[in-house]
Amino acid sequence: MDYFITGGSGFIGRRLIKKVLQRPNSRVHFLMRAAHLDRVPDLLAYWGVEADRAIPVVGDMTHPLLGVGSAELEPLIGKVDHFLHLAAIYDLNAKAGIQQQVNAEGTRQALQLAERLQARCFHHCSSIAVAGLFDGLFREDMFDEAEHLDMPYFQTKHEAEGIVRKESTLPWRIYRPGIVVGDANTGEMDKVDGPYYFFKTIQKLRRMLPPWMPAIGVEGGRINLVPVNFVVDAIDHIAHLEGEDNKAFHLTDSHPMRVGDMLSTFSRAAHAPEPAIRINAALFSFIPRHLMTMLMALTPVRRIRDAAIADLGLPKDIFRLINYPTRFDNRETQRVLKGTGIEVPPLHSYAWRLWDYWERHLDPELFIDRTLRGRVEGKVVLITGATSGIGKATARKLAEAGAKVLTIARDEHKIAETQAEFAELGLTLQVYQGDLADLAHGEAITRQIVAEHGGVDILINNAGRSIRRAIEDSFDRFHDLERTMQLNYFGTLKVIMGLLPTMIEKKKGHIINISSIGVLTNAPRFSAYVASKSALDAWVRTAASEFADKGVNFSIINMPLVKTPMVAPTKVYEQVPMMTPEEASDLVCDTIINKHVRLATRLGVFGQVIHALAPRVAQVIMNTSFRTFSDPKEGNESKASADQMAVSTLIKGIHF
């Protein structure tokens, strides 16, 4: 038995070919683009057959008669038993033009080719999308009753099936699969589609929250999911039955789940919080369709919507499908499959396989270059204060990764010492000497950097001054506030505002500010330091909002206590667990790689939450640490009491 198959290298097609080749004396001719012929050996290995049983036919879905030349066409005339047309574009984000060309006109050309070959039956893999957004039960014998076909995929699949129904001179059979997901036995899938669009959100919730914490989800219409192995087995069986011509078959789940139940099932499979509280999306259906269209046409609404769905990795039309209104009658399919064992398994029995395969093979993060070298090689990076502590450790790692590292520093001895260290390692650190607390210095150096390097790709604002002193001891030391603000806020802003215009012009750049966990916890004894860092954080958040559409990224790292020269004068810290500069530099590198908007320890986030939800309790907690870690007396600076050790261990990394 001879078969001609389009889409044979696709997700469904290559499995269907493997299935039909298991039949005795079967031979498959499959359409392939000339540019993809190098894939044939791998396909033959997958199917487990010799080249004489699976024969590529060079062609193109966008050409007349699929681009099949007469030399390949003539020998097949009268010899094809089954012409299976599976090729199509199934992508909610695809342009309408290419979908029309492939899905609709491609089907017409496939049908004409099948007629030229005098195939005995034309099998068309359609979709439940032919129903559009029909409100109610859509039977297998229904077609013209479809509603709301304004989405390109819906429209082109409906048109394609109409071509088969109205123009075919051959017997035909139409298969309408539901939303096809991975193999129920292996989890294998080839792209992010359907429910997979929600997997990234589920993964984010798992990373943020413990699995026992209830989450808020959405309740919607019934979503019809079918594993690819069911679709393949069903098509293979129905295609070879006698007396079933000129019929359509719904390859669907007889008991489809609601969207909310589906998301709960996948959340359990991912060990993520389940959406215990669900918002019924149908509540928004009272808005007339034309009014919703007008609302979404407004630029502010459209931009906010597009930004939200882009952050979640969702296609633009996904929310229209949440309240999917169509249910599918599949009694004809049930009739022909009765007694075969071919059926849709319950989702909970294989959801974990789908999730595991996605996380191991399809997660978009897997295809992003997450190496530091991939992010910084050949780029100009400016790190202020790179002659010691966090800045020095970060500069070394970036230089080793191939970045061109610049720094602004004022101490001649430290500059010489650091450059010598880098030279011994075969690394280069270009130093611009100046004091950022002197705003004129900062402005001049920034102009020089722009002139020599055309700006920078990444700016890491690390230089800072910290003063540890209780407010009660600072009544006559107002200059502490002035000194700290001068460097940490005004000096830093001079650098940012000097480099930001070139980033805006290039529509790319990344500004990272080393802030403090004290900003989140309101740490006692650091009023001057925390105030300066809080001011900078607020400015950065405002700037991030203003330049969100300019390609410039802003990041804030609320760094915990780090063992640097800044904290060395405070002897009690010798007994306190601290992060090393190398560990802190890892946080900076992680921010460069992943472009975090804010990176903070869980302790810092917890402190921020407590201050927001129970401010009085937060004040008592911080006051307790304040009193526990009283200012040391002369001669007893390095000794820590049992209470101090207990508290420091409990809240590791906080500025006491």
Side-chain angles (χ1 to χ4, degrees):
M1 190 170 290
D2 280 67
Y3 304 82
F4 193 105
I5 298 181
T6 70
S9 61
F11 184 55
I12 298 175
R14 72 176 177 269
R15 287 164 175 77
L16 184 59
I17 289 178
K18 186 173 186 176
K19 187 75 176 179
V20 299
L21 284 172
Q22 293 173 1
R23 294 178 175 270
N25 302 316
S26 58
R27 183 169 58 184
V28 173
H29 307 269
F30 59 100
L31 192 74
M32 286 287 286
R33 289 183 180 181
H36 296 166
L37 287 175
D38 57 334
R39 301 178 185 177
V40 172
D42 290 338
L43 289 171
L44 292 175
Y46 175 78
W47 295 325
V49 297
E50 300 297 326
D52 60 338
R53 292 190 61 201
I55 305 159
V57 178
V58 177
D60 193 307
M61 287 295 301
T62 62
H63 294 173
L65 295 180
L66 306 186
V68 178
S70 56
E72 293 179 291
L73 189 153
E74 294 295 333
L76 295 177
I77 294 177
K79 296 183 179 179
V80 175
D81 298 283
H82 299 279
F83 192 109
L84 294 110
H85 177 47
L86 281 78
I89 292 178
Y90 177 32
D91 186 349
L92 294 179
N93 291 319
K95 300 291 185 182
I98 187 63
Q99 292 197 60
Q100 176 68 31
Q101 190 177 17
V102 174
N103 294 354
E105 187 58 32
T107 297
R108 177 175 280 114
Q109 296 304 322
L111 180 60
Q112 292 179 6
L113 177 61
E115 291 172 339
R116 285 283 300 274
L117 295 175
Q118 302 173 12
R120 293 173 177 80
C121 188
F122 185 83
H123 303 267
H124 176 57
C125 190
S126 184
S127 167
I128 58 173
V130 300
L133 296 177
F134 179 83
D135 192 0
L137 184 68
F138 202 82
R139 301 190 309 273
E140 289 161 301
D141 61 349
M142 294 171 66
F143 176 73
D144 293 324
E145 295 85 349
E147 299 174 338
H148 308 303
L149 293 164
D150 50 325
M151 293 171 61
Y153 181 70
F154 287 9
Q155 180 184 346
T156 56
K157 292 302 287 186
H158 188 271
E159 185 177 342
E161 186 173 314
I163 290 170
V164 176
R165 289 173 171 272
K166 298 169 185 176
E167 300 180 14
S168 178
T169 61
L170 303 174
W172 50 263
R173 299 182 189 185
I174 290 171
Y175 312 97
R176 297 174 180 166
I179 299 173
V180 182
V181 297
D183 192 296
N185 300 310
T186 65
E188 186 179 359
M189 181 59 168
D190 67 341
K191 65 175 181 176
V192 172
D193 187 32
Y196 292 88
Y197 287 125
F198 297 99
F199 280 19
K200 199 68 198 174
T201 302
I202 293 172
Q203 187 188 63
K204 287 182 179 179
L205 286 173
R206 186 187 68 188
R207 291 172 177 174
M208 292 172 55
L209 304 170
W212 47 263
M213 181 174 289
I216 299 176
V218 64
E219 188 65 275
R222 296 191 179 276
I223 195 85
N224 212 294
L225 305 181
V226 288
V228 65
N229 53 298
F230 163 77
V231 174
V232 167
D233 291 347
I235 293 176
D236 174 67
H237 178 76
I238 299 172
H240 295 91
L241 294 176
E242 297 290 335
E244 303 296 340
D245 291 339
N246 303 334
K247 295 179 182 177
F249 299 91
H250 282 161
L251 309 185
T252 55
D253 188 351
S254 302
H255 307 285
M257 304 177 79
R258 291 194 175 275
V259 171
D261 293 328
M262 177 199 72
L263 294 176
S264 289
T265 301
F266 283 120
S267 294
R268 284 195 298 272
H271 302 288
E274 290 187 46
I277 303 171
R278 300 179 189 172
I279 300 171
N280 195 336
L283 293 172
F284 302 98
S285 62
F286 71 91
I287 304 175
R289 188 180 295 272
H290 68 281
L291 290 180
M292 183 63 74
T293 302
M294 291 173 59
L295 183 65
M296 289 300 167
L298 297 173
T299 300
V301 177
R302 188 176 67 253
R303 287 190 64 195
I304 293 171
R305 178 204 64 185
D306 292 349
I309 64 178
D311 187 59
L312 295 172
L314 302 175
K316 292 182 179 180
D317 290 320
I318 191 70
F319 292 115
R320 293 187 60 187
L321 304 178
I322 295 293
N323 287 323
Y324 196 66
T326 316
R327 293 174 291 113
F328 295 93
D329 176 76
N330 63 355
R331 65 189 66 188
E332 282 296 301
T333 302
Q334 286 185 316
R335 176 181 63 81
V336 296
L337 295 182
K338 187 176 180 179
T340 64
I342 302 172
E343 59 185 7
V344 180
L347 181 61
H348 68 81
S349 68
Y350 67 96
W352 65 274
R353 292 191 179 95
L354 302 185
W355 175 269
D356 184 70
Y357 190 90
W358 172 85
E359 200 160 38
R360 293 176 184 271
H361 303 281
L362 297 177
D363 185 354
E365 290 188 10
L366 298 174
F367 306 100
I368 300 174
D369 189 347
R370 297 289 182 183
T371 64
L372 186 60
R373 179 171 291 277
R375 289 292 195 192
V376 304
E377 188 172 23
K379 293 187 176 180
V380 179
V381 183
L382 172 61
I383 309 174
T384 63
T387 56
S388 66
I390 301 171
K392 187 178 184 178
T394 303
R396 185 172 62 252
K397 290 180 179 179
L398 296 182
E400 289 172 344
K404 186 175 185 179
V405 183
L406 320 176
T407 190
I408 302 173
R410 60 184 177 86
D411 190 307
E412 291 185 10
H413 175 71
K414 286 186 177 180
I415 291 172
E417 186 180 78
T418 303
Q419 287 184 313
E421 287 181 23
F422 273 59
E424 284 183 17
L425 297 171
L427 306 174
T428 302
L429 177 67
Q430 186 172 346
V431 181
Y432 294 84
Q433 188 174 359
D435 186 357
L436 292 179
D438 186 329
L439 301 187
H441 274 198
E443 186 174 355
I445 291 172
T446 304
R447 282 201 303 266
Q448 185 180 353
I449 290 173
V450 172
E452 294 179 1
H453 303 281
V456 303
D457 299 293
I458 302 171
L459 168 62
I460 303 170
N461 291 305
N462 170 72
R465 173 180 280 122
S466 176
I467 295 176
R468 179 184 183 269
R469 185 171 286 111
I471 296 174
E472 194 173 2
D473 299 327
S474 304
F475 292 150
D476 59 348
R477 296 184 62 88
F478 191 79
H479 60 279
D480 285 349
L481 293 166
E482 293 175 318
R483 292 163 55 207
T484 309
M485 191 67 72
Q486 185 73 6
L487 176 58
N488 295 358
Y489 183 63
F490 292 116
T492 299
L493 282 187
K494 267 294 184 183
V495 176
I496 294 175
M497 297 190 69
L499 297 173
L500 189 54
T502 58
M503 290 183 176
I504 296 171
E505 184 181 346
K506 297 176 182 178
K507 292 188 177 297
K508 62 179 181 179
H510 191 183
I511 297 174
I512 302 171
N513 291 314
I514 308 300
S515 185
S516 167
I517 194 174
V519 173
L520 306 178
T521 60
N522 305 306
R525 287 194 179 84
F526 284 85
S527 58
Y529 181 69
V530 169
S532 66
K533 290 295 186 180
S534 296
L536 185 61
D537 282 15
W539 189 94
V540 165
R541 292 194 299 271
T542 302
S545 299
E546 290 190 15
F547 300 114
D549 59 342
K550 298 294 186 180
V552 181
N553 295 286
F554 291 83
S555 299
I556 297 171
I557 304 176
N558 293 111
M559 197 70 72
L561 191 64
V562 182
K563 192 176 183 62
T564 68
M566 183 184 290
V567 304
T570 307
K571 300 301 182 181
V572 73
Y573 285 161
E574 295 176 2
Q575 308 295 332
V576 175
M578 289 185 285
M579 184 177 282
T580 66
E582 286 69 28
E583 291 171 331
S585 68
D586 288 338
L587 298 183
V588 181
C589 294
D590 182 42
T591 301
I592 293 173
I593 293 170
N594 296 297
K595 296 184 178 178
H596 301 297
V597 173
R598 180 186 292 277
L599 185 62
T601 61
R602 292 181 177 178
L603 183 61
V605 174
F606 175 76
Q608 189 178 35
V609 170
I610 293 297
H611 276 286
L613 299 180
R616 182 68 65 183
V617 174
Q619 289 173 359
V620 171
I621 293 173
M622 299 312 296
N623 182 261
T624 301
S625 72
F626 174 62
R627 297 303 179 192
T628 301
F629 287 85
S630 58
D631 284 324
K633 304 299 182 183
E634 268 312 310
N636 195 33
E637 291 184 332
S638 63
K639 294 181 180 180
S641 68
D643 286 344
Q644 291 174 340
M645 292 297 297
V647 174
S648 67
T649 302
L650 181 65
I651 49 178
K652 179 182 179 181
I654 276 202
H655 288 93
F656 300 112

